[in-house]
Amino acid sequence: MGFPHKSHPRETPLLTRHFGEEEARTLDGWKKRGGYQALEKALAMTPAEIVDIVKESGLRGRGGAGFPTGMKWSFMKPGDGKPHYLCCNADESEPGTFKDREVMRWTPHALVEGCAIGAYAIGAETTYIYIRGEFTEPLIWMDRAIREAYDAGILGANSMGTGKRIDMYVHKGAGAYICGEETALMNSLEGQRGNPRIKPPFPAVSGVFGQPTTINNVETLAAVPEIIMKGAAWYKGMSLSNPKSTGTKLYSVCGNIRYPGTYEVEMGFPFGEFLHELCGGAPDGRKLKAVIPGGASVPIQTMAEADATLMDYEGFVAQGSMLGSGGVIVIDDKQSMVRVIARLARFFAHESCAQCTQCREGTAWTTKILERIRDGQGTMEDLDTLLDLADLMTGTTICVLSDSCAVPVVSGIKKFRPEFEALIHGKRVHSVLSAVA
Amino acid sequence: MAERKMVNLTIEGRPVSVPEGTSILEAAKAVGILIPHYCYHPGLPIAGVCRMCLVEVEKAPKLAPSCATLVAEGQVVSVHTERALEARKGVLEFLLINHPLDCPICDQSGECELQDYTYQEGRADSRYRDPKRFNPVEDFGGDVLYVPNRCILCTRCVRFMDDVAHDTVLNVSERGDRALIGKFEGKDLTHPWAGNVVDLCPVGALLSKDFLNKARAWELDRVASVCPSCTQGCNITIETRDSAVVRLKPRPNEDVNKFFMCDYGRLNYRWMNRTDRAESPLVRTEGALRGIDWDVAVHAAASLIRERRVFVVASPKLSNETLYLLSRLIEGSGGAGVFRVLTGDEAPLPGVEDLALRRDRAANVKGAELFGFERSDRPLAKLGDGDVLVIADDDLDGIAVEDVARAAQVIVIGTTLPEAAKDAAVLLPITNVAEEEGTFTNLRGRVQRFMQAKPAPGLARPSWLVLGDLLGALGKQDGFYLPSDVFTRIAETHPAFSGLSYDTLGMRGLPVLDSDARTTTRMGEGLGMGQEATR
């Protein structure tokens, strides 16, 4: 059982091990737990050495895309005469995902330390932590942690007495999901409307304020101090399946599950055992039907697929989905898949930034059709139209929000078509339907 | 300018060679392939949002937005493959699901890119079965009306105001399919160049109030011209319906106005349609001006001019040809020529270098100066007793009859008979800029042609023809048959214009070689060997 429950013996608590400890939130408490030793160690190394260690550890982006972190850092060319920036993407808005929130609530100093090491490694003097607007409580803790770190001389013009400048700012978002997309995040940070930018240029060439920028997820950066302290080989060793996926991964589990919470397991952990054993399986009297394993924008898995999955970047892909952000949404047999998918589509339609035609119009149209089917007004042609729209919305836009909206629709219709057809043919198969719709 | 590296690629099977850094869309244009697009405009920063210009690039996994994808050596681009066509057909369907399809009552109809591309590549029907989004029409201030239901959110208008006009008025408000173009609180489209957003709008979402419901696009006749309203010399198209000017639009010219024109010039056309025109040559007989044959009138004017000092008050809105012929009239008589100019505030378009609504609100001030006319706020100050006063299309506003009466004789060569010159001996009616052909010289010394857009009223004749005949009657000159003949004569006799002809000017114009123009104007920098070579 993950946080807020007691840790399950089969978990590997690394980032989560101090969750729930009031004292770990403070600088003193954090230092007592070995905090800021990694930063001290890192500042004594050269940036290139740090990048090499992170490369060697196999750490990959925990925000969803899984890009190797060390390689991303190595794109930042030292000595190019330009100011470099590190952005920490704390705009965790993916439906079903709340792991970064817990990291910031309980171990804000882990993130500050990770950011400081990352900034030093990429030659950045300034770090922006772009925090989701709704994260009012984590914001308080992050602000406090940064203030403490400044007061203790950990951050500032003379970081840890080494003469190196490391500045850190928390920037609060204003409630747009799309600002979690890295280029939209940079626009938002600059004070512009949070619209994704066309790539290229990539952030490492022209990012925040047109300068070389690296953007990393909260969980990624929070793992860095551990890697610095215990070494790349140790981190790399935590891999139960594919050696390309290393370390531990946080999962936020929600939905129709007995013990919802934040879990941390090694890469390659069997997903079936994770759901049934660690998370306690379905609530009483129900059966699990489907899982969305990596936040709303990854394909839905049937239970057969989920049970056969090994939890790492490659394992989820092999079973028709993606690791994504690690936001596990569990759906049981009481739920209507149509209703779930319609609700997801509505989220994306609401959050589309409205730049690209396919996304602006496509997400809204998809939602209208799905809600019509949900309400028993659908036709069989609607299913073909939905799949066709999904096709038009995939791979044709600036960012992947439009693709994300298409993903649950396509996987849903493919894997749960009978539920759609039953509604279209006027059969009410689910007890908790329409009344609430 | 440093030589740019050339990149070779293939577009639709055609080999293309373009400078490095060119977009696929522009490279395709170079070989005559128009890739459908909405948000892209050569005068604005790239947005890459409409996704209409998607093309297939060999070896690329995704379709590429051709406006935002740069050419690369050896690239193979396909515009009309099934995959690209399907994607664009999809975009068109998406754009139309909330579109009201109200073409029959839309001003843009007939010149609408949504119509054009839908006919070209779109679906015959829509699969959309749900209610359409509705937002009411909004007055954006200035000359602009916003019809959000027709808007495709290409953001050209937003980018023009932000990046070209440098006046942040417009924005994209809301998100998702609720999005629409909004106006910032307390702001209006009152920038002197804001009217360009109407031209930039590829659909009927931004409309000109001035042109609203005035004509259908297919009823219009369009003629290339030059804006007569200031010395900038923006290239324009005069659009007429039933021989009345109903709209002026900018005509692209990279060297003068890029793609734009100011609202002052755009809306200053009603005088071209004046109905109180002088339509017949008049000669004073028995104390009254009476209509008479052109030949008689011209000879009457000639007999008044002969052996007298000729003092000309010319309008700086007259063409080079006319001003040249007027200068020939003065030549040898010991007389002089003057002009006066209406002035106003200069209004630059910050995003384009050297483009502004200029202080001098007449097109040919530079030409008048080149032909020896002197600028004066008191045009009759140097009028000598016993002079023949030739009023060449100056309206004499603010000039007293008594001042005019100091002249021994008054001849009016104009579009109207000014009140102050009602005692004139001869009136020779001429056509206005929309009714004749000729050239203007702009403030940077660029000579540009304008064409005839509508017929002359009554018996009025082109000014160059009238003056040619007058010079002929004076024995100074054989008559001219075409304005190009007059220009050829100018090029032969005026060093500044040497080497120029209507053929070499084309419809974009060329700068004069006059040394003043070369050294005193900023455009002179571009007047080196490169410019001469292009002649």
Side-chain angles (χ1 to χ4, degrees):
Chain A
M1 291 182 280
F3 185 80
H5 315 288
K6 213 161 88 34
S7 183
H8 192 279
R10 292 188 68 188
E11 280 190 69
T12 312
L14 199 65
L15 304 186
T16 55
R17 69 173 181 274
H18 301 302
F19 280 15
E21 296 169 21
E22 200 60 54
E23 197 194 32
R25 291 169 156 173
T26 64
L27 181 63
D28 290 342
W30 190 244
K31 278 189 162 167
K32 214 183 279 176
R33 288 164 177 76
Y36 291 108
Q37 289 173 16
L39 179 58
E40 201 173 350
K41 189 173 167 190
L43 289 175
M45 294 194 263
T46 67
E49 283 170 345
I50 302 172
V51 172
D52 282 342
I53 291 173
V54 173
K55 254 188 199 172
E56 181 55 32
S57 75
L59 176 65
R60 289 166 70 177
R62 300 292 195 238
F67 194 84
T69 307
M71 195 191 289
K72 198 184 234 183
W73 288 4
S74 68
F75 294 151
M76 304 289 282
K77 297 280 166 261
D80 57 6
K82 295 177 184 169
H84 291 186
Y85 291 103
L86 175 67
C87 282
C88 172
N89 188 345
D91 190 62
E92 184 181 52
S93 327
E94 188 71 30
T97 313
F98 44 85
K99 60 183 179 72
D100 296 342
R101 183 189 71 193
E102 298 304 304
V103 171
M104 291 185 286
R105 279 177 73 202
W106 294 107
T107 59
H109 282 287
L111 182 58
V112 172
E113 190 174 3
C115 286
I117 297 170
Y120 174 61
I122 62 164
E125 291 190 340
T126 306
T127 302
Y128 294 106
I129 298 174
Y130 187 96
I131 193 164
R132 180 180 172 183
E134 290 87 338
F135 279 2
T136 44
E137 193 207 331
L139 176 68
I140 292 168
W141 294 114
M142 285 311 299
D143 270 341
R144 188 171 297 180
I146 288 176
R147 207 167 49 241
E148 282 179 331
Y150 266 106
D151 289 347
I154 293 165
L155 298 176
N158 183 15
S159 172
M160 315 275 285
T162 57
K164 286 159 188 146
R165 173 176 278 280
I166 299 177
D167 282 321
M168 209 170 285
Y169 305 96
V170 176
H171 185 98
K172 186 166 165 280
Y177 166 71
I178 193 59
C179 288
E181 199 277 345
E182 57 181 15
T183 54
L185 184 150
M186 297 188 304
N187 272 342
S188 175
L189 197 56
E190 289 178 19
Q192 324 252 7
R193 184 182 162 99
N195 285 358
R197 300 176 183 173
I198 301 176
K199 290 190 267 191
F202 291 94
V205 177
S206 175
V208 173
F209 307 112
Q211 305 303 328
T213 303
T214 293
I215 301 192
N216 288 126
N217 177 254
V218 168
E219 187 187 344
T220 315
L221 287 167
V224 169
E226 302 283 344
I227 295 170
I228 297 296
M229 283 314 289
K230 299 182 188 149
W234 162 80
Y235 196 78
K236 212 175 167 181
M238 290 191 288
S239 174
L240 302 174
S241 168
N242 194 308
K244 281 191 197 156
S245 298
T246 62
T248 61
K249 173 82 188 91
L250 268 59
Y251 295 89
S252 42
V253 184
C254 64
N256 307 125
I257 193 85
R258 198 182 300 260
Y259 304 118
T262 308
Y263 293 78
E264 185 172 20
V265 291
E266 284 184 38
M267 283 291 184
F269 196 89
F271 197 28
E273 290 170 33
F274 178 81
L275 289 172
H276 300 294
E277 195 180 318
L278 276 62
C279 305
D284 282 337
R286 303 195 192 177
K287 253 181 71 193
L288 298 186
K289 177 162 76 177
V291 184
I292 307 174
S297 45
V298 307
I300 303 170
Q301 284 187 316
T302 61
M303 277 321 288
E305 286 170 329
D307 286 338
T309 303
L310 295 173
M311 300 167 80
D312 58 21
Y313 294 102
E314 295 74 19
F316 278 106
V317 172
Q319 290 300 326
S321 190
M322 284 190 301
L323 171 60
S325 62
V328 180
I329 304 169
V330 190
I331 301 154
D332 74 14
D333 58 349
K334 288 273 188 194
Q335 308 306 322
S336 158
M337 288 310 290
V338 180
R339 198 160 163 253
V340 169
I341 293 163
R343 184 64 191 86
L344 289 176
R346 195 160 110 203
F347 170 79
F348 289 112
H350 185 257
E351 295 296 339
S352 165
C353 84
Q355 273 195 110
C356 302
T357 308
Q358 289 94 333
C359 182
R360 178 180 70 242
E361 305 293 345
T363 54
W365 189 3
T366 300
T367 308
K368 283 179 184 170
I369 297 177
L370 282 167
E371 293 185 345
R372 211 172 50 211
I373 297 175
R374 179 198 66 190
D375 297 342
Q377 305 291 315
T379 64
M380 288 302 283
E381 289 79 48
D382 282 339
L383 294 184
D384 297 335
T385 307
L386 279 175
L387 291 173
D388 212 28
L389 296 186
D391 196 37
L392 292 169
M393 286 159 65
T394 304
T396 52
T397 48
I398 292 178
C399 79
V400 294
L401 190 141
S402 155
D403 306 50
S404 299
C405 180
V407 157
V409 176
V410 173
S411 57
I413 295 179
K414 214 162 71 188
K415 295 170 186 176
F416 301 94
R417 196 176 177 104
E419 290 198 28
F420 287 83
E421 291 180 354
L423 275 171
I424 288 168
H425 295 132
K427 291 181 199 132
R428 300 262 181 233
V429 283
H430 293 98
S431 51
V432 280
L433 212 63
S434 301
V436 229
Chain B
M1 203 168 76
E3 275 292 297
R4 280 220 273 174
K5 210 180 127 219
M6 297 301 275
V7 175
N8 301 295
L9 67 157
T10 311
I11 301 177
E12 281 293 285
R14 298 180 211 185
V16 192
S17 187
V18 288
E20 195 175 20
T22 309
S23 67
I24 292 177
L25 195 146
E26 283 294 334
K29 266 192 201 168
V31 284
I33 300 167
L34 179 67
I35 301 174
H37 60 270
Y38 291 116
C39 69
Y40 173 77
H41 188 280
L44 301 174
I46 305 286
V49 296
C50 74
R51 314 311 278 181
M52 190 60 201
C53 67
L54 291 174
V55 294
E56 202 164 340
V57 179
E58 207 173 82
K59 294 199 190 91
K62 288 184 183 180
L63 295 173
S66 57
C67 69
T69 310
L70 301 185
V71 292
E73 190 65 37
Q75 217 170 33
V76 179
V77 178
S78 309
V79 181
H80 300 302
T81 58
E82 199 177 328
R83 200 168 144 226
L85 281 169
E86 277 306 314
R88 294 206 295 270
K89 197 185 270 190
V91 172
L92 284 166
E93 189 183 15
F94 283 133
L95 288 175
L96 287 174
I97 61 171
N98 281 306
H99 189 91
L101 303 174
D102 58 349
C103 306
I105 56 154
C106 176
D107 268 352
Q108 190 83 3
S109 188
E111 49 187 15
C112 172
E113 290 171 39
L114 196 53
Q115 270 183 340
D116 292 349
Y117 292 138
T118 303
Y119 279 123
Q120 204 173 304
E121 300 191 341
R123 294 172 60 94
D125 59 348
S126 172
R127 294 173 289 184
Y128 191 68
R129 299 278 170 270
D130 302 277
K132 292 189 187 231
R133 169 184 67 219
F134 178 85
N135 287 303
V137 174
E138 195 179 342
D139 185 346
F140 269 6
D143 183 41
V144 186
L145 218 53
Y146 178 52
V147 187
N149 296 339
R150 297 177 187 149
C151 182
I152 60 169
L153 284 164
C154 68
T155 71
R156 280 188 192 179
C157 52
V158 179
R159 282 175 284 148
F160 174 80
M161 291 310 294
D162 286 2
D163 299 300
V164 183
H166 294 190
D167 183 13
T168 311
V169 176
L170 301 179
N171 59 42
V172 177
S173 298
E174 296 289 337
R175 283 190 314 221
D177 74 332
R178 291 97 57 216
L180 74 171
I181 301 299
K183 217 164 40 128
F184 283 111
E185 194 64 38
K187 292 263 206 161
D188 265 323
L189 280 182
T190 46
H191 189 276
W193 292 76
N196 287 293
V197 298
V198 176
D199 305 330
L200 291 167
C201 183
V203 299
L206 293 173
L207 301 175
S208 161
K209 293 180 200 167
D210 182 74
F211 186 68
L212 196 67
N213 302 338
K214 221 191 230 179
R216 311 301 289 166
W218 53 86
E219 297 170 331
L220 302 177
D221 294 307
R222 298 174 170 87
V223 166
S225 187
V226 174
C227 179
S229 294
C230 87
T231 54
Q232 176 70 38
C234 291
N235 290 205
I236 62 165
T237 304
I238 296 182
E239 302 191 344
T240 57
R241 180 192 183 216
D242 295 341
S243 300
V245 179
V246 290
R247 181 168 72 173
L248 304 184
K249 283 222 162 205
R251 182 164 56 89
N253 188 332
E254 192 63 23
D255 297 316
V256 183
N257 56 314
K258 295 279 196 266
F259 308 89
F260 312 117
M261 75 183 292
C262 73
D263 290 11
Y264 176 80
R266 183 188 298 268
L267 299 175
N268 185 21
Y269 65 83
R270 285 189 162 73
W271 59 271
M272 295 177 192
N273 297 332
R274 274 177 78 158
T275 50
D276 59 340
R277 293 278 297 276
E279 295 192 357
S280 168
L282 305 174
V283 172
R284 189 166 297 279
T285 38
E286 296 164 5
L289 282 170
R290 293 175 206 279
I292 202 155
D293 206 73
W294 260 107
D295 275 355
V296 178
V298 167
H299 278 92
S303 65
L304 295 175
I305 287 169
R306 201 169 284 128
E307 310 297 326
R308 282 204 169 91
R309 236 173 71 97
V310 180
F311 190 87
V312 178
V313 180
S315 160
K317 286 190 177 182
L318 292 169
S319 67
N320 288 322
E321 289 75 1
T322 306
L323 290 164
Y324 160 72
L325 293 171
L326 284 168
S327 74
R328 290 286 313 278
L329 211 57
I330 303 164
E331 194 180 274
S333 79
V338 294
F339 67 92
R340 55 182 188 153
V341 194
L342 180 73
T343 57
D345 289 339
E346 182 153 313
L349 183 62
V352 179
E353 198 189 338
D354 200 26
L355 177 57
L357 164 63
R358 304 293 175 178
R359 285 182 54 76
D360 291 348
R361 301 287 160 84
N364 212 12
V365 172
K366 184 85 191 171
E369 285 165 355
L370 283 172
F371 291 109
F373 289 82
E374 198 185 315
R375 181 174 181 144
S376 167
D377 290 334
R378 296 174 51 236
L380 297 184
K382 290 185 182 167
L383 175 69
D385 294 338
D387 285 359
V388 182
L389 174 60
V390 176
I391 309 290
D393 213 26
D394 190 300
D395 55 15
L396 298 184
D397 262 5
I399 291 173
V401 184
E402 302 80 64
D403 289 337
V404 176
R406 278 173 35 225
Q409 294 293 348
V410 177
I411 298 171
V412 175
I413 303 174
T415 52
T416 56
L417 179 63
E419 188 56 29
K422 64 181 191 310
D423 294 331
V426 179
L427 167 67
L428 302 176
I430 56 169
T431 52
N432 68 26
V433 59
E435 294 154 357
E436 64 178 41
E437 193 183 341
T439 59
F440 289 140
T441 310
N442 83 350
L443 82 163
R444 300 294 178 233
R446 190 181 188 85
V447 186
Q448 305 187 101
R449 291 178 64 189
F450 58 87
M451 312 293 270
Q452 182 184 351
K454 66 192 199 61
L459 299 177
R461 285 180 173 179
S463 47
W464 59 269
L465 182 63
V466 173
L467 284 159
D469 286 352
L470 184 54
L471 287 168
L474 288 165
K476 281 187 167 185
Q477 170 88 60
D478 295 337
F480 292 105
Y481 293 100
L482 290 168
S484 56
D485 296 343
V486 184
F487 193 80
T488 305
R489 189 65 54 83
I490 296 175
E492 285 163 8
T493 53
H494 277 66
F497 291 83
S498 79
L500 298 179
S501 73
Y502 274 18
D503 287 344
T504 56
L505 289 179
M507 288 322 295
R508 304 232 163 143
L510 284 173
V512 292
L513 276 180
D514 177 70
S515 57
D516 283 352
R518 202 167 3 189
T519 51
T520 59
T521 68
R522 277 161 72 194
M523 222 177 103
E525 291 158 22
L527 257 175
M529 293 309 292
Q531 286 289 344
E532 281 179 34
T534 58
R535 284 193 175 182

